[in-house]
Amino acid sequence: MQFLEQFTLTNKLNGVSGKLKTLFAVLTLLVCSFSTAYIVPLLVFCIMFAVTVVVAGIPLRFYAKLVLAPAGFGLVTFVLMMFFFGKEPFFSVHAGNLTLTATKDGFDMALISVGRMLGSVSCLLFLALTTPMADIFALLKKLKLPDVFIDLSMLIYRYIFIMVQEALRMEYAQKMRLGYSDVKGSFRALSLLAGNLFVRSWDNADKMLTAMNSRGYEGIIHVLEDDSPIPRMHLLGLAGFELVLVSLNLILPR
Amino acid sequence: MHALETVDVDFRYPNGAHALQGVNIKIRTSSKIAILGPNGAGKSTLLYLFNATLRPTSGTVRLNGAPMKYDSSSLRSIRQKVGVVFQNPDEQLFAPTVKQDVSFGPLNLRLSVEEVEKRVSESLDLVGMSGFENLPPHNLSTGEKKKVAIAGVLAMEPEIMVFDEPLSGLDPKGQADLTELLDQLNADGKTIIVTTHRMDFAAEWADEIWILKNGKVTKKGVPNEIFSDMSLIHGANLQVPMPIQTHNELYLRGFCNKQVPLSVLELVESVIEYSGENDYTGHYALAKEDFAPLDDCFIGFENGVLVASRDDFKNCFARCRCTGQVHKGKEIPIDLSDVPEGKVWIVRTPGAADGGAEMMPATVVRGLIDSRKPNRIGAMGTVAKSIVKNTGLNYDFGSEVVNSAVSASRRGLSTMIFATGKMADLAAKRIAYLNQRMGEEISFQMVDGEL
């Protein structure tokens, strides 16, 4: 079973502070989604693409696969917006006796929306492919989010993998006994799997609590966090980068 | 002194299952205890009582002589003193990274961050998982997860460690490593309690065995006592270990003495001793060199042919003396009744707490090996193993080290055992014990490795 997460452990940006990477991704994401000039999100996309594929060394093929799905949606949105939003006529397409008129303001809106979407996707992909979850939790803790929230996310994160494995094992066991051979059987097998998974999760949670209690758990999860500070120069660089993006928005035409 | 003691303990689960009925168990401090019994006998329930995860319905559990209390400050101290390693490591590991998981216990003990860091790295070192600190648990194999789970408990520095089925799900190498780790922890003075279905492991490893059936103790004793009672063993849905089964068959046919062997080594000795004269005449090996009378010859298989060589070689399994003049390419008669004595040297190496493998440079190890010229090298403990590897040599015995060394010595080959810290004393004790069991005198010598 291959998870996106695998790359966070092996990419070439492994040595860089996880907090810095998270800040970089989240701040750029914010700037990108509030951008008014369409060039900025596209620039963000190019930069994030370069950092993820060239610098961090994520395989291009793999990256392309991940971008393709949102890009497909983007294309559809783009076409719809161009033809069905706005008033000012731009150009027309004739197909038989059908005439579709694209609008100028619709085109501008499509460009900025799809641009923002692609830019944001690239930010999230950067985060997902280069930054281990533990680093993100460390940042959340630093930002003083409530303990309950972080503890829960931590447990959920760990248990995703256990549940996926459990579900897979059950699915194999069902398939071995011809569980998914027809439509009716598939529904039946799936419902059994889901129900069973719920019961087992419940049971596992119980056992885990016992195990945690036996190591002195008293309601709050204490674990060692990596509290190495982000180098000052890196922070300054990050601030400069975001400032450039913001000012580009102000200078460039809307 | 008893580390743990249960007095008339009864336990009923809320659904009415009567898991334990009047259980009285006494566990000596620093002993190795195996608890055997069929599925559903109450073994796991008993383990949970040992660290106050469960509270007996009636009766008392005593820790170091004092009855357990169940208020929150007592609970913290009990759980620090008694660590439980669960059977399925996935139930125990919850944190995003290995390091964070191991730090959980010691942080709950309210220790300083520096102390926690130190304990985390020490315990990961001890279980041989340094270098895995930042990996998430789902990236590890079952064996690795198990080791991390053990490190998580070790980092709390408990006096007593309880393992539920420690060997289950591990490959043979993993089982051997884990057995060694249990011995190492015990050598450091910890009381070790395991439940297991692995009879051969229980027979060889445990100081004392308790058998549980239907929530009651049916028998306790030292391994040879327990395993000489076949009906008891079968009555508890258990099985007699292979060496003992073989011994039983051979004994009934008059091929060995009566003493119950706990390992393959003891079984072989029992047969050899009984057959009296080691009648090895009629065995021939192909001489690879010219031999003169009284020359040392090393015997072993090469490409399926039994050969004799003047020098030690990889597959050689015995050393003996040549009886006459033999030319190269001719057959040499083997007389294993006149095997020269194979020595055992035990070198005490520094442990992880003394600074680890760096404290014993490769030149020192080389010096020890070159001056004494052992035929085989054994290593006990993670630090000793890396010390041997640092010299560029490989150890021949990495598990069942003492048994292998004693067996090699009986075949004329000498062994140098590198053992971490207290494992060295353990090895010496074990040889003395085997000598006494087999009525032999394998000579062994402690060599100070901390030069």
Side-chain angles (χ1 to χ4, degrees), chain B residues 97-122:
Chain B
T97 68
V98 166
K99 185 180 175 184
Q100 293 187 324
D101 200 276
V102 178
S103 71
F104 177 70
L107 281 172
N108 286 336
L109 295 177
R110 322 261 158 100
L111 298 169
S112 71
V113 172
E114 295 77 47
E115 175 67 13
V116 173
E117 292 266 7
K118 185 173 143 259
R119 287 192 181 191
V120 169
S121 79
E122 269 177 21

Side-chain angles (χ1 to χ4, degrees), chain A residues 5 158 207 215 218 224, chain B residues 90 93 101 103 110 138:
Chain A
E5 206 232 359
R158 169 78 181 113
K207 284 180 181 156
R215 286 203 281 161
E218 283 167 354
L224 277 184
Chain B
D90 273 332
L93 306 179
D101 200 276
S103 71
R110 322 261 158 100
H138 51 264

Side-chain angles (χ1 to χ4, degrees), chain A residues 192-247:
Chain A
L192 279 173
L193 188 145
N196 224 332
L197 201 58
F198 176 75
V199 175
R200 281 203 202 179
S201 307
W202 196 269
D203 200 41
N204 271 346
D206 219 43
K207 284 180 181 156
M208 187 186 64
L209 186 65
T210 313
M212 285 170 71
N213 280 338
S214 82
R215 286 203 281 161
Y217 175 64
E218 283 167 354
I220 296 176
I221 295 180
H222 302 282
V223 293
L224 277 184
E225 301 291 352
D226 163 38
D227 54 356
S228 53
I230 308 174
R232 196 155 292 223
M233 284 310 288
H234 288 183
L235 266 184
L236 279 177
L238 177 63
F241 173 75
E242 304 300 342
L243 265 180
V244 169
L245 286 185
V246 171
S247 41

Side-chain angles (χ1 to χ4, degrees), chain B residues 416-451:
Chain B
M416 184 173 277
I417 299 176
F418 291 85
T420 309
K422 294 197 177 112
M423 297 280 275
D425 303 324
L426 204 73
K429 231 192 265 170
R430 174 99 183 133
I431 295 181
Y433 163 82
L434 286 172
N435 278 343
Q436 177 220 326
R437 293 256 315 161
M438 307 186 310
E440 286 299 328
E441 215 33 76
I442 305 289
S443 76
F444 65 95
Q445 194 185 343
M446 299 290 281
V447 183
D448 197 356
E450 295 169 72
L451 297 173

